[in-house]
């Protein structure tokens, strides 16, 4: 609560202390007194971060400490300077104006026995706070301590509700008056622990919302250090969720929303400071395949970059995965502080949209093009980041063809089967069966059908399908000439659509997207024939 | 009517782009090549072959090219063009 009014009070530094005393019912003073009594000793070197009007500064100097005090507000520093003169402790106090995050630049390592902060950390951003705590570790002497006196958001449900209810109108008022808002510390204890401190609660006041922490740096096991944007460990385990997502994606992959992984740093296995770093996009299937490819084979870090939930090849080609996105993700990842090496392994198939040399230039990291397929990564690394041509070249093997067949089937189910189910129910099952059988047949025989692209291959496919249809119609289901004709038109149309589309699902297409124009023309022609011929022949 | 591109013009644009993709060809200036092998590293269809003796790549299998543009993008010497 106090800090809400503090923002307003800050405008008039001279009245600040009176206001704070009122707002904290004098408890803040008592807690500052505790700091001086319990922690400050004669001749101690103390750094005060955010000294404000210098009340605590002067008290600590009076107790015999040599105090370096910083604040970012010139008004506050002027008031502090006046007070220090008045209290006659000038030779024991060094006042400086600076942002708290700059202390590691301006003071030598291990130069303070005590670092103190009173109602200042809550004024900083979360990132600033984490950075400051890291600097504090550097600046403290081996036996040094950190004392933090600040406003804290309660963690338990009831007191948190009360805190919020009381605080909301004050927050609104502060915002109206000053257009700013304050941020009582949230989960500060967790931040302290994560930043490498052991801590005790020396004193609490104001129903637990005003707290005095005493923290000491603990030896950090540097080999176990995690990067800033670390999000956790990934494994390739099959759960109900992954099975459902895979099922959905195997039919309707091209429909958004795409299943996504939160961008950030992940671990596979138990990576250490020398483990390789693999970059990928945030399409969930991509990440899962990568994890399954390397799990058990090696320990690695994975930097998942936001690619809009799209696979790396399409995302890079479409401008969703770019060099700048990777540079940005790497910058905030905190990986450069954790890893001994500076080598990025990019998926080869994002090279159509990510300039490797630009990442190299801007970050200084080495950029290495990994293999085209994730399954080759263990071997690629075992060879010392060397690829064979087979690892470099993209193929469209049967497994992938069948997978993509399912995707096209899902797409056509929506496009063709739903209208048929509504308007032409009698041919629904024959169409579905013909479609599935043709797709599967096409997927298997694709490499042996003549022609380079799918549209050309649709001709032999249609011929084979027509023969198959005739055999079926002769042996199992003899039909009149007009029914045979209708079947021929239908099977030809399906052949063309299926053949032209499936190749477009391979990474090897080259402008096959233009085929849809021809598909439309052929479709129109077949439709016209279907309508015209029976009339001309007098079948209807 | 609503403003902005309609479905027809979107499809037309898509079609033209796809058609253009088919006519694009690789133009390689070997005198600029410094033998960094980036095109060779990233080409998914094996168009490029390194000639280690003269530290220069050879555009050997043009017929395989899918005009993905990866080699163009990765060459810091701008020795490759797709037009």
């Amino acid at each position: 609560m106090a800090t809400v009014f503090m923002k307003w009070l800050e405008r008039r530094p001279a009245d600040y202390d009176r206001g704070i005393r009122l707002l904290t019912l004098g408890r803040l003073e008592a807690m500052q007194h505790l700091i001086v009594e319990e922690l400050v000793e004669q001749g101690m070197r103390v750094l005060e971060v955010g000294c404000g009007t210098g009340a605590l500064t002067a008290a600590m100097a009076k107790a015999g400490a040599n105090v370096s005090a910083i604040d970012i507000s010139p008004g506050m520093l002027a008031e502090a300077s006046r007070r220090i003169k008045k209290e006659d402790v000038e030779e024991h106090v060094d006042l400086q104006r600076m942002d708290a995050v700059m202390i590691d630049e301006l003071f030598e390592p291990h130069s303070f026995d005590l670092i103190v902060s009173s109602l200042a950390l809550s004024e900083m951003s979360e990132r600033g706070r984490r950075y400051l705590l890291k600097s504090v570790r550097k600046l403290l002497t081996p036996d040094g301590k950190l004392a933090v006196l600040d406003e804290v958001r309660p963690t338990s449900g009831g007191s948190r509700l009360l805190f919020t209810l009381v605080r909301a109108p004050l927050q609104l008022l502060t915002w109206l008056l000053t257009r700013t808002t304050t941020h009582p510390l949230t989960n500060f204890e967790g931040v302290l622990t994560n930043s490498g401190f052991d801590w005790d609660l020396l004193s609490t006041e104001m129903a637990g919302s005003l707290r005095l922490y005493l923290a000491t740096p603990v030896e950090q096991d540097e080999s176990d250090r995690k990067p800033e944007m670390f999000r956790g460990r990934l494994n390739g385990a099959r759960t109900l969720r992954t099975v459902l997502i895979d099922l959905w994606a195997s039919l309707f992959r091209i429909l958004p929303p795409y299943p996504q992984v939160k961008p950030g740093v992940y671990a596979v296995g138990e990576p250490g400071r020398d483990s390789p770093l693999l970059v990928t996009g945030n399409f969930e299937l991509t990440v899962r395949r990568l994890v399954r490819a390397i799990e058990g084979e090696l320990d690695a870090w994975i930097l998942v970059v936001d690619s809009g939930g799209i696979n790396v090849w399409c995302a890079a080609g479409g401008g969703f995965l770019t060099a700048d996105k990777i540079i940005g993700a790497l910058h905030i990842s905190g990986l450069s502080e954790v890893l001994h090496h500076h080598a990025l392994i990019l998926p080869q198939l994002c090279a159509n949209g990510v300039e490797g040399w630009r990442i190299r230039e801007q970050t200084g990291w080495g950029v290495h093009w990994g293999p085209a397929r994730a399954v080759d990564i263990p071997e690629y690394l075992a060879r010392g980041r060397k690829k064979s041509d087979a690892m470099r070249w993209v193929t469209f093997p049967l497994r992938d063809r069948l997978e993509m067949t399912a995707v096209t089937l899902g797409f056509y189910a929506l496009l063709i089967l739903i209208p048929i189910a509504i308007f032409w129910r009698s041919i629904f099952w024959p169409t579905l069966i013909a479609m599935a059988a043709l797709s599967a047949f096409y997927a298997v025989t694709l490499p042996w059908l003549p022609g380079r692209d799918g549209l050309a291959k649709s001709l032999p496919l249609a011929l084979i399908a027509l023969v198959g249809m005739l055999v079926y119609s002769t042996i199992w289901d003899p039909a009149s000439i007009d029914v045979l004709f209708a079947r021929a038109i239908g099977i030809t149309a399906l052949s063309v659509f299926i053949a032209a589309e499936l190749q477009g699902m391979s990474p090897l297409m080259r402008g096959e997207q233009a085929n849809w124009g021809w598909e439309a023309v052929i479709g129109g022609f077949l439709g016209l024939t279907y309508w015209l011929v029976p009339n001309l022949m007098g079948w209807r | 009517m609503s403003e902005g591109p309609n479905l027809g013009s979107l499809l037309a644009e898509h079609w033209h782009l796809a058609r253009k993709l088919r006519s694009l060809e690789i133009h390689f200036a070997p005198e600029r090549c410094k033998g960094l092998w980036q095109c060779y590293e990233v080409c998914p269809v094996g168009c490029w072959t390194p000639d280690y003796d003269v530290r220069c790549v050879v555009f050997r299998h043009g017929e395989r090219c899918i005009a993905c543009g990866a080699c163009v993008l990765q060459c810091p010497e701008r020795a490759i063009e797709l037009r």
Side-chain angles (χ1 to χ4, degrees), chain A residues 491-509:
Chain A
I491 214 90
T492 309
L494 282 180
S495 302
V496 171
F497 285 133
I498 287 167
E501 280 308 308
L502 182 66
Q503 185 124 41
M505 290 288 186
S506 86
L508 297 170
M509 63 176 171

Side-chain angles (χ1 to χ4, degrees), chain A residues 313 348 351-357 360 369 387 389 392-394 452-453 507-517, chain B residues 11 14-15 18-19 21-25 38 40-46 63-68 70 73-74 76 78:
Chain A
W313 172 255
Q348 184 195 313
N352 58 337
V354 173
E355 302 98 319
W357 54 272
R360 223 173 264 136
W369 295 107
K387 288 189 273 187
D389 280 345
R392 202 173 271 133
W393 296 347
V394 169
R452 169 164 176 156
D453 80 33
L508 297 170
M509 63 176 171
R510 175 175 184 167
E512 270 78 15
Q513 300 96 323
N515 281 344
W516 69 262
Chain B
L11 284 176
H14 182 79
W15 194 64
R19 300 222 4 125
L21 211 54
R22 291 192 159 183
S23 65
L24 288 173
E25 273 181 28
Q38 292 299 297
Y40 171 60
E41 282 296 320
V42 300
C43 181
V45 288
E63 80 286 354
R64 297 180 183 171
C65 178
I66 54 170
C68 71
L73 207 59
Q74 302 311 327
R78 299 184 194 283

Side-chain angles (χ1 to χ4, degrees), chain A residues 273-521:
Chain A
R273 311 192 87 182
D274 296 299
S275 301
L277 171 60
L278 306 164
V279 178
T280 191
N282 74 329
F283 181 40
E284 190 176 325
L285 263 64
T286 303
V287 177
R288 189 147 58 238
R289 270 185 197 174
L290 173 60
V291 171
R292 284 183 183 156
I294 61 175
E295 196 174 37
E297 301 270 337
L298 54 112
D299 301 309
W301 299 102
I302 297 184
L303 178 62
V304 175
V305 181
D306 176 18
S307 64
I310 302 169
N311 68 75
V312 291
W313 172 255
C314 294
F320 293 96
L321 179 62
T322 61
D324 296 297
K325 276 208 182 167
I326 294 175
I327 291 167
L330 184 64
H331 183 68
I332 63 167
S333 68
L335 281 162
S336 58
E337 289 158 27
V338 175
L339 298 186
H340 283 148
H341 66 80
H342 277 187
L344 279 179
I345 297 167
L346 298 186
Q348 184 195 313
L349 291 185
C350 74
N352 58 337
V354 173
E355 302 98 319
W357 54 272
R358 220 151 58 73
I359 298 176
R360 223 173 264 136
E361 263 177 22
Q362 286 193 24
T363 65
W365 282 59
V367 172
H368 304 271
W369 295 107
R373 284 168 181 273
V375 289
D376 290 328
I377 288 173
E379 200 192 332
Y380 161 81
L381 289 169
R383 289 169 172 225
R385 294 197 296 247
K386 295 260 186 310
K387 288 189 273 187
S388 66
D389 280 345
M391 294 173 168
R392 202 173 271 133
W393 296 347
V394 169
T395 52
F396 196 31
L398 181 63
R399 203 196 136 109
D400 291 7
R401 298 203 296 271
L402 289 173
E403 187 184 339
M404 285 303 130
T405 299
V407 176
T408 43
L409 274 179
F411 181 55
Y412 277 122
L414 296 179
L415 208 70
I416 299 173
L417 289 177
I418 288 178
I420 282 180
I422 296 170
F423 299 111
W424 207 349
R425 192 161 304 169
S426 62
I427 65 160
F428 177 81
W429 286 107
T431 311
L432 178 63
I433 291 165
M435 210 184 230
L438 259 176
S439 297
F441 179 78
Y442 183 62
V444 172
T445 57
L446 182 81
W448 297 282
L449 291 175
R452 169 164 176 156
D453 80 33
L455 199 63
K457 286 176 193 280
S458 71
L459 190 68
L461 180 69
L463 287 175
I464 294 168
L466 282 174
V467 170
M469 189 274 292
L470 280 174
V471 169
Y472 167 82
S473 298
T474 312
I475 300 177
W476 288 286
D477 188 13
S480 59
I481 183 81
D482 57 325
V483 173
L484 272 182
F485 175 75
R487 283 178 187 171
I489 291 287
I491 214 90
T492 309
L494 282 180
S495 302
V496 171
F497 285 133
I498 287 167
E501 280 308 308
L502 182 66
Q503 185 124 41
M505 290 288 186
S506 86
L508 297 170
M509 63 176 171
R510 175 175 184 167
E512 270 78 15
Q513 300 96 323
N515 281 344
W516 69 262
W518 292 111
E519 286 171 47
V521 170

